[in-house]
Amino acid sequence: MLANLISKQLHLLYDWGLGFYGWINGHLGTIYPLNPLVLRIRITKNCNFHCSFCFQSESLNPKEKNHLELAEWKKIIDRLPRRTILDVTGGEPFIAKNFIPLMTYFLEKGHKASVTTNGSIYNEELLNLFVDKKLYYLMFSVEDVGIAHDEARSAPKSYEKILKNLSAIQEIKKKKKSKYPLIGIKTTITDSNWRNLIKLHDECVRIGGIDHHSLALLKQNPIRGGNEIYESELHPVFNAGNSAYYESSSKQLASQVIGLIEHSKKTKLPISFKPNIPLGDLEKYFANPGSFGVRACHKVNGIITMYYDGALAPCDIGIDIGNVRDYDFNLRLAWKAQKFKRYQKKLQQSFPYPKVCEGCCLATHTLKA
């Protein structure tokens, strides 16, 4: 019972733990920096979809070069404590170079790891690996039900492929008597799908074996989320902020989301939405996402994003703080680098409500004063 409760509320524990860890590292980092509690691995920028609402759409599918070799990945992971959580994302991770041997090594080293996928690629070897090596969390991006999802993704039969993957991994888990990986569904709320959110949630319940349903509010901040990496915190994009907007009625949008949250209490399928917004302010967010920001946050000192080529960024903000090769594959040293110290100073001066934090999925957002 306790284990089940912890798994259902994983996102809450993760949120609190990362903030506390970041607070500690922020105070001790100049003396004895800790390894990141979360290493977000953007393992590729390539994707087989091109969704109109994707905040990465303009930076996807470049000609990737200077990939970290498998031996280099191993050096990085070998220097990390087991407490470091590996959050693997893309692009689409399933098409990343060396994805299977990399995931094998990550999991064999005992790290809790998560993978986010669009669910369009079926790979039985990979699904068995996730179960055998106990991947902690596997999240599928699902935008709607049936053909409506295919249209949102501009990808025929993509919903059918997700169902195939869900069915396959549930069968493997059942056969091997494993509860891992936990399965999550992530849905971005758009002008096209908000009327179908309860229908999609009920479909998740019908499918069965899904542990969590996460809702993502639209965000469009060019310095966040795996877009370009900028060499200086003085670049104008540092002050761009969240330019996302909804054309639909903000009142109807908020009503639908609140109705879904109430509905989920009956279905027993946990639900959350990110960025974290007080329920009473949802209507204001839908009316103007850019009017919300982050008043204070310590998580920047607990998470590092690393790209397929070893490039490093603080939190998930596209500011260059060096390459892991520059630090002898030791991520602790990134906190002590002058590039990070300059960025950290600039960020601290920007609080409350720094533009770079607008739309962050990790931080609580409030209406700007």
Side-chain angles (χ1 to χ4, degrees):
M1 177 66 74
L2 180 59
N4 185 56
L5 177 62
I6 290 175
S7 68
K8 296 293 185 183
Q9 302 302 324
L10 174 64
H11 60 287
L12 297 177
L13 296 171
Y14 172 87
D15 183 73
W16 180 87
L18 182 56
F20 182 65
Y21 191 94
W23 181 85
I24 292 175
N25 200 33
H27 284 78
L28 298 180
T30 55
I31 303 170
Y32 186 82
L34 303 173
N35 276 290
L37 180 62
V38 177
L39 176 60
R40 176 164 290 165
I41 300 174
R42 293 202 173 274
I43 202 163
T44 182
K45 278 193 173 185
N46 290 325
C47 186
N48 55 336
F49 287 174
H50 195 83
C51 307
S52 61
F53 55 85
C54 178
F55 56 84
Q56 293 179 276
S57 58
E58 294 183 2
S59 63
L60 290 175
N61 300 314
K63 292 183 178 180
E64 294 184 349
K65 54 185 179 180
N66 299 325
H67 283 85
L68 289 167
E69 298 299 330
L70 190 57
E72 293 178 305
W73 281 105
K74 290 181 177 181
K75 288 181 182 180
I76 297 163
I77 300 304
D78 288 348
R79 286 164 170 76
L80 290 175
R82 286 183 61 184
R83 68 172 177 269
T84 296
I85 299 166
L86 307 180
D87 178 19
V88 182
T89 184
E92 171 48 49
F94 278 41
I95 62 176
K97 179 182 178 181
N98 290 327
F99 187 53
I100 291 179
L102 283 173
M103 289 306 305
T104 300
Y105 197 75
F106 295 167
L107 296 172
E108 286 182 344
K109 294 294 288 187
H111 290 275
K112 281 188 168 56
S114 65
V115 173
T116 301
T117 175
N118 62 33
S120 65
I121 299 170
Y122 179 76
N123 187 317
E124 188 173 353
E125 179 186 0
L126 198 49
L127 297 181
N128 274 284
L129 171 68
F130 289 164
V131 176
D132 291 339
K133 303 297 183 182
K134 292 184 170 54
L135 176 74
Y136 200 81
Y137 198 74
L138 179 61
M139 179 175 284
F140 293 86
S141 297
V142 185
E143 311 310 330
D144 214 317
V145 178
I147 294 176
H149 170 86
D150 298 349
E151 292 174 346
R153 290 287 189 179
S154 300
K157 297 186 177 181
S158 56
Y159 187 77
E160 180 181 318
K161 293 173 183 177
I162 290 173
L163 293 182
K164 180 179 180 180
N165 270 300
L166 284 170
S167 175
I169 198 160
Q170 298 293 9
E171 187 61 31
I172 295 169
K173 287 170 64 176
K174 182 179 179 180
K175 180 180 179 180
K176 299 185 177 183
K177 298 180 180 179
S178 175
K179 71 175 183 178
Y180 295 109
L182 301 176
I183 305 298
I185 298 297
K186 176 185 175 183
T187 304
T188 300
I189 303 175
T190 67
D191 286 309
S192 300
N193 71 359
W194 64 267
R195 294 176 180 84
N196 294 336
L197 291 177
I198 291 178
K199 179 181 178 181
L200 174 56
H201 183 81
D202 286 343
E203 178 71 356
C204 293
V205 174
R206 184 195 66 78
I207 292 169
I210 293 171
D211 298 283
H212 184 245
H213 188 187
S214 175
L215 301 177
L217 307 179
L218 278 181
K219 58 184 177 184
Q220 197 64 250
N221 191 337
I223 204 168
R224 297 202 62 85
N227 289 297
E228 298 301 320
I229 296 183
Y230 299 88
E231 291 192 10
S232 171
E233 69 280 0
L234 300 178
H235 194 285
V237 75
F238 194 92
N239 294 311
N242 184 9
S243 62
Y245 64 92
Y246 286 92
E247 295 181 350
S248 303
S249 163
S250 57
K251 184 175 182 178
Q252 290 180 321
L253 281 161
S255 176
Q256 186 78 354
V257 173
I258 292 172
L260 173 56
I261 292 171
E262 289 300 312
H263 182 68
S264 71
K265 295 176 182 177
K266 299 176 183 177
T267 66
K268 307 298 183 183
L269 175 58
I271 197 166
S272 63
F273 57 92
K274 296 179 179 181
N276 185 19
I277 306 288
L279 280 179
D281 287 339
L282 269 178
E283 183 177 341
K284 294 177 182 177
Y285 184 91
F286 285 126
N288 183 8
S291 65
F292 282 74
V294 178
R295 184 170 181 82
C297 185
H298 298 289
K299 294 172 185 174
V300 65
N301 297 311
I303 181 169
I304 286 178
T305 294
M306 183 172 68
Y307 291 75
Y308 59 89
D309 59 356
L312 301 176
C315 194
D316 203 17
I317 299 168
I319 295 294
D320 173 30
I321 59 171
N323 191 290
V324 71
R325 293 178 175 113
D326 302 332
Y327 305 126
D328 193 28
F329 307 99
N330 187 344
L331 289 169
R332 287 182 57 237
L333 301 181
W335 303 121
K336 300 177 72 173
Q338 287 301 313
K339 286 183 176 182
F340 178 76
K341 290 179 179 179
R342 287 199 309 268
Y343 160 76
Q344 189 179 44
K345 182 178 180 180
K346 173 73 171 177
L347 182 65
Q348 289 173 345
Q349 292 172 346
S350 301
F351 280 110
Y353 306 116
K355 290 285 189 178
V356 293
C357 296
E358 291 181 15
C360 174
C361 65
L362 297 174
T364 296
H365 287 55
T366 57
L367 193 63
K368 297 175 187 176

